[in-house]
Amino acid sequence: MSTGVSGGAAADVVVVGAGIVGAACARALARAGTRVTVLDRGAAASATSAHGEGNLLVSDKGPGPELDLALVSLRRWTVLAGELADELGPRFPSVEHEPKGGLVVVASEPGLAGLRELAAGQRAAGVEAVEVTGEQARELEPDLAPGVLGGVHYPQDAQVQPVVATEALLASARRAGAVVRTGVEVTGGLRGADGRLVGVTTSAGDLAAGAVVVAAGPWSGEVARRLGAWVPVRPRRGTVLVTTPMSQRVHHKVYDGDYFAATQSAGAELQTSAVVESTRGGTVLIGSSREQVGFDDRPRAEVLAHMARRAVAVFPFLAQTNVMRSYLGFRPYMPDHLPVIGADPELPGLWFATGHEGAGVGLAPATGDLVAAALLGADPAVDPRPYAADRPTLSALRPDVSDAQAAQVTCASGTTEKAHEGVRP
Amino acid sequence: MTSHRISAEADPVRPGADRPLTIVVDGEPVTGTAGQTLAGVLLGAGRREWRTTSGGGAPRGVFCGIGVCFDCLVEVNGLRDVRACLRRAQDGDVVVRQGPDRAGAQEADR
Amino acid sequence: MNGVRGRHVVVVGAGPAGLAAARAAADAGARVTLLDAADGLGGQYWRHLPQARPAAREQVLHHRWDTYRELSAAVREHPAVTVRASAQVWSLDRLDDGVRLHVLVGEPDDAGRAPLALAPDALVLATGAHDRTLPFPGWQLPGVYSAGAAQALAKGERVAVGRRVVVAGAGPFLLPVASSLLRTGAAVLGVHEASRAGALARWLDRPWELAAVPGKAAELAGYVAELARHRVPWRAGEAVVAAHGDGQVEAVTIARLDARWAPVPGTERVVAADAVAVSHGFTPRLELAVAAGCALTPGRFVVVDRAQATSVPGVWAAGEVTGIGGADAALAEGAVAGAAAAGADPAPSAVRARDRARGFTARIEAAHGVRGGWVRWLRDDTVVCRCEETTYGRLREVADLTASRETRSVKLTSRAGLGPCQARMCGRTVEELLGAMDPGGPGVDRRPVVVPVRLGDLAALPDAPELPPTPATTGDPT
């Protein structure tokens, strides 16, 4: 294998982060015969992966590398859901893979024109995108607002229960030999004599490894800094509302046409759009909001009000329903709206699988496969270059050595020295 | 009848004159007293259950009595998810049993 | 009056602590808004008949009824106090320079309630507590009530939950519940206290402490005498370990417990009963304290200092959210908190009363605190989460399958705690069963949406209300 794993390493690969992406990487690597240890400073499946909706979407992605990855990954999910069910047995909670399809709706003529243009481009990229009239939309979703003029139906969109999905991937990885250690925080990197990253220091001692994969979601920037590297992931806060259970169903994942614009924006100001879907539990999940407020976890009623207005505009019946819970989490936002999957350009031994923003659950299987292929020298299912950490859109942002901050790095010999973020070898 | 309204004659608090009211529960009239909650009217009339759980289809009525457990949810005048233990009954209220709430979900699980 | 004149103090909760706080703050010169979700004052402790049902001798159901009459009249008549009943705080924004409360005013759970936003200079949380009932086989049957429910229905509705009622659980609260049930005309078949006599002897270790709490000893003695008069057996070291019946309660199994609250095999006996009232203690209502960012004790009560100030500047707390101490403690803590929130020095008498009452709080926990052996009365098919009907067996199975002991993950994989009550009933139990106690953290008690809100009411909220610096209220209902 290409990792140059030394015989004495405690693990071939350390994956930092036990969320959906880390779990998918761990499973892919473990099933390929690699000795994997997953570390998480908290619990598994409890941060970003536990605070989203479990979207598997192609509809919200314009033509380009993210959509290419999504198309592959959503096909993978279809197979994976069955594999996990077979492997883990009927007593394991269901990942609730539901190929329910997405329905994007708009209430204005300009909005409809814009949506159709987007759909045409998506179709050219291989997406099933069926234009529907307002009447057809209401046949698909009888409770839609009368003002809906039309939209696009995306049969490939699907949903999973993200926490069960993460736990299932981790359980499967464990069965393939992976070790999952929660409550263990990475504090720094172990360096070989040649400067290569050969493991991590943690709150529970050092752990040698042939390679380190950072899959820490929005915290990946901080983990990278501790390891002496740089990745421009930032938190982008999102909020979800949950209604009480009801017999009434929203049959598809339904969202308003502004959602696409919100995912593609770089704005720091509050953006909301209606994203509405039922769960098997009978609740309706209502998203979404995007705010760039760092890791500030203080909820604001104003955000809930904005989201409620959007949702009621699409589904008037929701005005009568009760919201019983809200939760907020942090998406791993990338300035160029693409995940980082691949080797760090400057620190050998360091790999990234992060920056999926709101699409991590959908993109996790393909991400895990890409990471495994890259680490093991296998042929990737998709061209990995658009997601590389040294792509031009990221290199342009890379800080100079002079303004880099000190990171804590321990030489494999045990001595500690100051390393610098972004130091070029 | 197990649960019941205390008869005025026997009540040591010496209640004043009651103003009766009638609500309709799943199509049947049930009488109570102005000032009672919906749960008070139902329990006072000997009804101890008026909801079916979402998953198991089990009967539920009042458990906590102070708005915390949400076992006593009813549909009132067309609005679902009203805690019967908190809402004062109004003469003519139309109360409908809730649940089970997962008909669609059970289909999906098939 | 030695506070900061005109300071706006919002008090949430109009039970003993909140009423005392509102009066103390107003007396100290503050402008006070007293909020309660109920349509009357008094909280759960003084739960009483509504105005529509006057009664000549309602005081026979209450202790300290004169105190209630006096306090409620004082706050209603005080020119500086605005009482807002039917006012449900549903959310709290923690801002850099204070807090903002979001309130809906109207009928409980109604659609179209009037919004109200408040940005007080000082906030007093007196949100109280609710019963904690440990699960047991059959506890989901209609006819099984929390002790608080039996009490509330007796006091607030004049409804008897049954004709032959068993009272069980732990703590001195079982005594007034049995008393209330007797005053509905029900036969109380027994009061079964899980703690054993040995633990309860600690009540008598330092009788001067009990005697120093005004009225407390007499109150308890009164209940004991009343039970004796009605020949109601009071049994220590026993529990209701199962309820039986076809669609509703028809009988219960009572068993002796060891010192760890584990049932002693062979001691079970079945008793025919048509209702059961069971509570094993109280859980503080922490939603607002958690939203405000208040530090919590390892046992998850709000941390307060000698002036009842929480760890968050501008936020005070009083009553059961700071520890289960009963009405005397709540009254004293409220008086201290209200004065301090108004910027005044609390009255020394109130501080002394509060300090005396605190001893009682510790004593209740020492004598009646939940002991871990109770899990032995669970069966695999015992419902733990009443909303989602997650059983004990399933909870353990899912935790094992996912190798997870973390509540957020297990909630979402087992569904325990995901239903309409949002883990208010099962949350502490699930944490205990998983061994995931989150010491110092909010654990399952983080609920940013404090109570369910209609989506239409959320949608109708005015855009970020511009709040003048002082006096600081806007968003009056229109």
Side-chain angles (χ1 to χ4, degrees):
Chain A
M1 57 194 283
S2 64
T3 54
V5 173
S6 67
D12 295 335
V13 181
V14 163
V15 175
V16 184
I20 189 87
V21 173
C25 291
R27 179 178 188 268
L29 287 162
R31 285 165 69 91
T34 309
R35 289 180 304 158
V36 180
T37 296
V38 182
L39 303 178
D40 199 297
R41 66 171 178 175
S46 62
T48 304
S49 302
H51 293 84
E53 296 154 297
N55 291 333
L56 316 182
L57 301 184
V58 291
S59 55
D60 67 338
K61 296 168 181 66
E66 193 193 14
L67 179 57
D68 296 342
L69 194 64
L71 282 164
V72 171
S73 206
L74 264 55
R75 279 198 296 277
R76 283 285 290 116
W77 258 122
T78 307
V79 177
L80 188 55
E83 281 176 11
L84 291 170
D86 290 346
E87 182 189 357
L88 301 173
R91 300 303 301 170
F92 202 94
S94 168
V95 302
E96 300 181 15
H97 180 259
E98 294 198 40
K100 56 170 65 170
L103 181 63
V104 185
V105 295
V106 287
S108 74
E109 287 295 348
L112 195 54
L115 178 61
R116 287 183 170 158
E117 193 184 321
L118 172 69
Q122 290 169 319
R123 266 195 299 275
V127 173
E128 292 173 56
V130 185
E131 287 179 19
V132 292
T133 63
E135 202 175 317
Q136 289 168 325
R138 274 180 289 278
E139 279 169 28
L140 291 169
E141 288 292 346
D143 297 317
L144 273 177
V148 167
L149 286 179
V152 177
H153 178 218
Y154 293 91
Q156 290 158 310
D157 282 357
Q159 185 183 13
V160 293
Q161 210 270 32
V163 171
V164 177
T166 305
E167 293 286 10
L169 288 167
L170 287 171
S172 174
R174 273 192 213 97
R175 291 167 62 94
V179 175
V180 182
R181 295 175 62 190
T182 56
V184 177
E185 181 167 353
V186 170
T187 53
L190 291 169
R191 295 290 182 90
D194 55 356
R196 181 189 173 82
L197 187 66
V198 293
V200 292
T201 62
T202 79
S203 55
D206 295 354
L207 183 61
V212 177
V213 178
V214 175
W219 294 274
S220 296
E222 170 62 16
V223 175
R225 191 190 67 76
R226 293 180 185 189
L227 298 175
W230 174 86
V231 66
V233 177
R234 289 208 303 271
R236 197 181 202 189
R237 195 166 98 154
T239 305
V240 175
L241 305 179
V242 188
T243 70
T244 47
M246 62 184 87
S247 50
Q248 200 156 2
R249 307 283 291 170
V250 173
H251 304 282
H252 303 78
K253 181 185 182 72
V254 180
Y255 57 94
D256 69 39
D258 292 331
Y259 181 66
F260 175 74
T263 64
Q264 298 304 305
S265 86
E269 73 284 4
L270 169 66
Q271 298 170 33
T272 59
S273 47
V275 182
V276 181
E277 60 202 309
S278 293
T279 69
R280 276 195 205 174
T283 60
V284 171
L285 302 184
I286 297 166
S288 78
S289 71
R290 286 180 148 73
E291 295 173 273
Q292 296 205 5
V293 291
F295 286 108
D296 187 338
D297 67 352
R298 298 174 297 179
R300 281 193 300 150
E302 179 197 1
V303 176
L304 274 49
H306 274 265
M307 293 169 61
R309 282 199 273 280
R310 292 281 198 163
V312 169
V314 176
F315 283 111
F317 86 90
L318 288 174
Q320 302 274 298
T321 63
N322 255 340
V323 171
M324 66 175 179
R325 172 164 84 247
S326 73
Y327 54 88
L328 60 82
F330 299 96
R331 306 176 182 89
Y333 167 84
M334 289 295 292
D336 61 356
H337 301 286
L338 275 179
V340 186
I341 307 166
D344 184 83
E346 299 183 347
L347 179 55
L350 176 63
W351 302 71
F352 290 112
T354 186
H356 298 73
E357 197 174 339
V361 178
L363 300 180
T367 300
D369 291 348
L370 273 183
V371 166
L375 274 165
L376 305 173
D379 284 338
V382 287
D383 178 2
R385 283 172 301 182
Y387 323 106
D390 62 351
R391 61 193 184 234
T393 45
L394 296 189
S395 299
L397 301 170
R398 188 168 282 271
D400 288 336
V401 179
S402 53
D403 43 304
Q405 291 178 323
Q408 200 67 25
V409 169
T410 308
C411 289
S413 60
T415 60
T416 299
E417 65 181 43
K418 290 287 181 193
H420 291 279
E421 182 184 28
V423 176
R424 290 182 173 82
Chain B
M1 198 190 281
T2 51
S3 65
H4 57 278
R5 186 145 52 94
I6 302 161
S7 73
E9 307 78 60
D11 194 337
V13 306
R14 292 191 14 221
D18 277 357
R19 188 162 58 80
L21 56 73
T22 302
I23 63 174
V24 178
V25 182
D26 292 329
E28 285 179 34
V30 178
T31 58
T33 295
Q36 282 190 302
T37 62
L38 291 170
V41 172
L42 288 160
L43 287 166
R47 294 190 180 222
R48 326 175 79 171
E49 62 93 8
W50 51 80
R51 187 175 74 88
T52 307
T53 57
S54 295
R60 292 291 167 80
V62 163
F63 177 67
C64 83
I66 60 170
V68 182
C69 78
F70 293 77
D71 255 3
C72 67
L73 295 178
V74 283
E75 181 184 310
V76 184
N77 305 326
L79 190 67
R80 287 170 47 94
D81 291 343
V82 174
R83 284 168 286 177
C85 71
L86 297 184
R87 176 67 70 89
R88 302 267 180 222
Q90 303 293 330
D91 200 33
D93 274 347
V94 176
V95 174
V96 176
R97 168 180 289 264
Q98 277 190 212
D101 291 327
R102 274 182 211 154
Q106 279 155 4
E107 249 168 65
D109 282 338
R110 197 174 47 209
Chain C
M1 183 186 296
N2 58 357
V4 180
R5 180 161 273 289
R7 181 187 259 206
H8 184 205
V9 175
V10 169
V11 179
V12 183
L19 285 170
R23 180 168 69 176
D27 285 349
R31 195 164 53 84
V32 177
T33 304
L34 174 62
L35 303 172
D36 199 285
D39 55 6
L41 302 178
Q44 298 307 336
Y45 182 72
W46 285 313
R47 177 105 165 202
H48 56 278
L49 289 164
Q51 276 189 332
R53 298 181 70 186
R57 288 180 46 76
E58 189 163 12
Q59 66 271 23
V60 302
L61 301 180
H62 293 276
H63 272 269
R64 303 176 189 78
W65 188 241
D66 290 345
T67 306
Y68 168 69
R69 298 293 293 264
E70 186 218 329
L71 260 180
S72 59
V75 300
R76 284 198 187 279
E77 288 158 15
H78 203 297
V81 179
T82 303
V83 174
R84 290 244 183 212
S86 302
Q88 175 69 60
V89 182
W90 68 270
S91 167
L92 181 152
D93 288 350
R94 180 159 40 116
L95 310 174
D96 292 334
D97 56 352
V99 298
R100 183 181 298 162
L101 297 170
H102 297 277
V103 187
L104 287 168
V105 182
E107 288 288 299
D109 296 330
D110 211 357
R113 284 185 282 175
L116 169 70
L118 297 166
D121 301 310
L123 173 65
V124 179
L125 296 175
T127 47
H130 60 78
D131 304 50
R132 179 179 177 197
T133 301
L134 300 172
F136 53 88
W139 75 308
Q140 74 279 17
L141 286 170
V144 179
Y145 301 88
S146 76
Q151 174 89 326
L153 289 162
K155 285 185 173 182
E157 301 282 343
R158 299 311 285 141
V159 161
V161 294
R163 300 195 186 273
R164 293 170 52 79
V165 188
V166 170
V167 177
F173 180 54
L174 300 181
L175 297 171
V177 170
S179 164
S180 290
L181 283 166
L182 288 170
R183 287 162 200 228
T184 67
V188 176
L189 304 182
V191 177
H192 306 274
E193 161 68 51
S195 296
R196 303 212 314 171
L200 295 175
R202 278 176 234 160
W203 277 92
L204 305 172
D205 278 354
R206 284 172 292 173
W208 60 89
E209 263 188 25
L210 200 55
V213 182
K216 178 58 71 181
E219 179 186 344
L220 293 173
Y223 292 133
V224 170
E226 187 180 7
L227 292 187
R229 213 161 47 240
H230 286 85
R231 303 195 188 289
V232 176
W234 183 86
R235 307 291 292 270
E238 289 191 352
V240 167
V241 296
H244 318 280
D246 182 11
Q248 60 176 320
V249 168
E250 293 159 13
V252 296
T253 298
I254 294 164
R256 289 198 50 74
L257 303 182
D258 67 18
R260 296 280 306 147
W261 288 21
V264 177
T267 64
E268 299 87 354
R269 63 185 194 278
V270 176
V271 175
D274 61 12
V276 198
V278 191
S279 289
H280 301 89
F282 291 90
T283 304
R285 302 180 82 149
L286 290 175
E287 289 85 357
L288 294 176
V290 168
C294 297
L296 305 176
T297 67
R300 215 176 291 157
F301 291 98
V302 178
V303 173
V304 288
D305 67 9
R306 287 194 49 78
Q308 301 295 131
T310 72
S311 64
V312 177
V315 182
W316 282 259
E320 312 288 57
V321 283
T322 67
I324 304 304
D328 294 305
L331 286 164
E333 290 168 6
V336 171
D345 294 327
S349 58
V351 173
R352 280 195 303 273
R354 190 268 320 275
D355 291 346
R356 278 196 305 271
R358 283 235 171 114
F360 182 67
T361 308
R363 191 167 276 228
I364 291 177
E365 178 56 28
H368 301 278
V370 172
R371 307 284 191 272
W374 70 272
V375 301
R376 301 277 292 279
W377 71 55
L378 296 175
R379 299 192 314 234
D380 274 355
D381 64 354
T382 303
V383 167
V384 170
C385 168
R386 300 176 62 89
C387 298
E388 295 290 324
E389 298 172 281
T390 307
T391 62
Y392 177 50
R394 182 61 177 156
L395 186 72
R396 280 185 308 162
E397 180 179 38
V398 166
D400 288 345
L401 285 168
T402 59
S404 179
R405 286 287 180 276
E406 198 271 331
T407 47
R408 179 151 189 102
S409 173
V410 175
K411 260 171 79 175
L412 285 155
T413 49
S414 74
R415 301 202 60 79
L418 285 185
C421 97
Q422 289 292 291
R424 286 175 175 85
M425 291 293 104
C426 72
R428 298 290 175 104
T429 295
V430 169
E431 287 180 322
E432 202 171 316
L433 295 175
L434 294 174
M437 304 303 281
D438 192 19
V444 294
D445 289 312
R446 184 190 296 280
R447 298 182 192 93
V449 176
V450 173
V451 291
V453 181
R454 303 288 163 185
L455 199 70
D457 284 356
L458 272 184
L461 287 181
D463 262 324
E466 285 304 316
L467 297 160
T470 179
T473 56
T474 60
D476 275 336
T478 48

